[in-house]
Amino acid sequence: MLSSCVRPVPTTVRFVDSLICSSSRSFMDLKALLSSLNDFASLSFAESWDNVGLLVEPSPPHTVNTLFLTNDLTEEVMEEGLQKKADLILSYHPPIFRPMKRITWNTWKERLVIQALENRVGIYSPHTAYDAAPQGVNNWLAKGLGACTSRPIHPSKAPNYPTEGNHRVEFNVSHTQALDKVMSAVKGIGDVSVTSFSARFDNEEQTRISLNCTQKALMQVVDFLSQNKQLYQKTEILSLEKPLLLHTGMGRLCTLDESVSLATMIDRIKRHLKLSHIRLALGVGRTLESQVKVVALCAGSGSGVLQGVKADLYLTGEMSHHDILDAASQGINVILCEHSNTERGFLSDLRDMLGSHLENKINIILSETDRDPLQ
């Protein structure tokens, strides 16, 4: 009897101990969490027209115990998030996109903001930053095609390379007195970084000046040089292009390891997206038995990204009527799955990736009410 009473004690102790450890780890400061989210996928990858990042912020300090993931933040999803004690909602699509002139109870998006602030819930949206990211939405969508190699259709550019400014001005100065005047003048212009090195021109030792500057600063530099032509020679003005990021960008062009019939590809896509139906436009001269080797895809709305891309198949959520006609006329098959159906499944992968990235410091849960509005 004594031994049977004693045996459960270690189990109970371990259980209580694990609860204590779990509760002590299960929160993050909002600012620290935002920094970690940006490390996971930089907001600099987002398109310039997009509205990404922290959209609603409770008064600081704000700690996050539960991160709630959804593709679209509707009122129904907000109610679910509040019931599940969310501290931060990560909504893939930004619920605030166009500027709001007032916050009242009249429209559903205004009501979302009111409910979030009243309940101290932050709202964060990554949108096209996650589209472009190497481990993002388009990469997930490509997984449903089968074994393939892929690259972005429109690669992103490195955000902070090679240097500040987008123009470089280089010229030679031959005399010390002229060099002092030039250096003094250009250093007085804002948004200009200056370097110099020795150069030889027409058997004469000279100093080569290199200026990196913004568009605005460039005009001031050119104005100075045009008024002091006697001070310099051998001038070049270069436009600095940021290098492309090979695995980051909009859309994916996927080349299958082995060709498959269009019918087989349709089955794969339906299985991956868990759909019973898709919409299909057959390219001119194509049938369900036509072979598919190259697939161009874009999660969400693909018209702009896919336009002009050579492929056997376009895969996206939605395209305009006339863009579909254009593609089909070129013999390109088009599969449409509705906008958010090409995005929502990524959230399950995202939950696992963020759990690992954040070292399981917070709870991460998926919305169960979020769904595409078209059935």
Side-chain angles (χ1 to χ4, degrees):
M1 289 291 291
L2 181 60
S3 61
S4 64
C5 292
V6 170
R7 246 193 312 268
V9 172
T11 303
T12 305
V13 171
R14 280 197 298 270
F15 175 69
V16 173
D17 186 53
S18 67
L19 283 179
I20 294 172
C21 292
S22 175
S23 64
S24 66
R25 291 186 296 111
S26 59
F27 68 89
M28 290 183 70
D29 175 73
L30 177 61
K31 293 188 184 305
L33 176 55
L34 294 176
S35 178
S36 292
L37 289 174
N38 197 62
D39 290 340
F40 173 76
S42 174
L43 294 177
S44 65
F45 295 155
E47 295 291 277
S48 59
W49 49 262
D50 208 354
N51 190 36
V52 296
L54 185 64
L55 305 184
V56 175
E57 178 182 10
S59 58
H62 185 64
T63 56
V64 177
N65 174 268
T66 298
L67 175 63
F68 182 73
L69 308 182
T70 184
N71 201 79
D72 292 293
L73 182 55
T74 63
E75 289 186 279
E76 184 180 10
V77 172
M78 172 62 84
E79 183 178 351
E80 179 194 3
L82 295 179
Q83 289 175 351
K84 294 180 177 177
K85 308 298 183 184
D87 303 296
L88 179 66
I89 296 174
L90 187 155
S91 176
Y92 167 74
H93 285 137
I96 303 174
F97 192 78
R98 296 182 181 89
M100 291 182 170
K101 293 186 177 181
R102 57 183 60 83
I103 305 295
T104 70
W105 204 248
N106 287 336
T107 68
W108 70 277
K109 289 196 173 184
E110 293 174 52
R111 291 194 292 271
L112 288 178
V113 175
I114 293 170
Q115 287 183 294
L117 290 174
E118 287 182 342
N119 291 278
R120 293 191 56 77
V121 177
I123 301 175
Y124 175 92
S125 177
H127 201 203
T128 53
Y130 278 11
D131 288 347
Q135 74 283 29
V137 182
N138 284 303
N139 187 65
W140 166 81
L141 186 56
K143 290 179 180 179
L145 304 179
C148 64
T149 57
S150 68
R151 61 177 177 83
I153 295 173
H154 299 290
S156 299
K157 292 182 178 180
N160 299 309
Y161 184 95
T163 184
E164 293 183 5
N166 49 15
H167 296 282
R168 177 172 293 166
V169 182
E170 293 189 350
F171 53 88
N172 287 5
V173 177
S174 55
H175 303 294
T176 302
Q177 187 174 2
L179 178 62
D180 291 342
K181 182 176 181 179
V182 169
M183 294 296 280
S184 176
V186 297
K187 286 182 178 178
I189 299 174
D191 297 323
V192 174
S193 60
V194 186
T195 57
S196 61
F197 51 92
S198 297
R200 193 168 186 83
F201 182 64
D202 287 342
N203 293 319
E204 179 185 4
E205 288 294 330
Q206 299 183 350
T207 301
R208 185 75 172 167
I209 306 297
S210 179
L211 312 176
N212 289 327
C213 53
T214 62
Q215 178 71 37
K216 181 179 178 181
L218 174 65
M219 303 307 294
Q220 298 179 61
V221 170
V222 170
D223 182 59
F224 167 77
L225 293 177
S226 64
Q227 297 180 43
N228 296 273
K229 295 180 180 179
Q230 75 282 2
L231 300 180
Y232 66 92
Q233 53 188 311
K234 199 170 175 57
T235 304
E236 292 181 294
I237 299 179
L238 309 172
S239 177
L240 301 180
E241 287 290 332
K242 295 174 181 178
L244 300 179
L245 301 175
L246 295 181
H247 304 292
T248 305
M250 294 300 156
R252 292 294 184 270
L253 188 63
C254 307
T255 303
L256 300 175
D257 291 356
E258 296 183 6
S259 299
V260 297
S261 69
L262 177 58
T264 297
M265 182 55 67
I266 290 172
D267 287 340
R268 289 181 180 180
I269 291 168
K270 288 164 66 176
R271 188 164 54 248
H272 183 57
L273 300 184
K274 299 177 180 167
L275 297 175
S276 57
H277 298 86
I278 52 91
R279 291 192 285 166
L280 170 67
L282 281 172
V284 172
R286 309 302 182 197
T287 69
L288 290 176
E289 297 309 312
S290 295
Q291 293 296 293
V292 173
K293 178 70 173 178
V294 179
V295 181
L297 62 83
C298 177
S301 180
S303 288
V305 173
L306 301 178
Q307 190 171 27
V309 178
K310 295 186 181 302
D312 302 311
L313 170 67
Y314 286 173
L315 169 62
T316 186
E318 59 179 326
M319 285 178 68
S320 75
H321 173 77
H322 297 287
D323 287 335
I324 295 170
L325 290 179
D326 285 343
S329 72
Q330 301 171 58
I332 301 172
N333 304 299
V334 179
I335 290 179
L336 305 182
C337 305
E338 307 310 345
H339 189 112
S340 68
N341 288 337
T342 57
E343 304 160 337
R344 184 169 290 102
F346 166 71
L347 295 180
S348 294
D349 282 14
L350 178 64
R351 176 185 55 194
D352 297 338
M353 288 188 288
L354 285 182
S356 176
H357 180 72
L358 300 174
E359 300 176 337
N360 298 310
K361 292 178 181 177
I362 60 174
N363 303 315
I364 304 176
I365 56 178
L366 290 180
S367 171
E368 296 176 10
T369 57
D370 175 44
R371 62 185 180 276
D372 195 276
L374 294 171
Q375 301 296 316

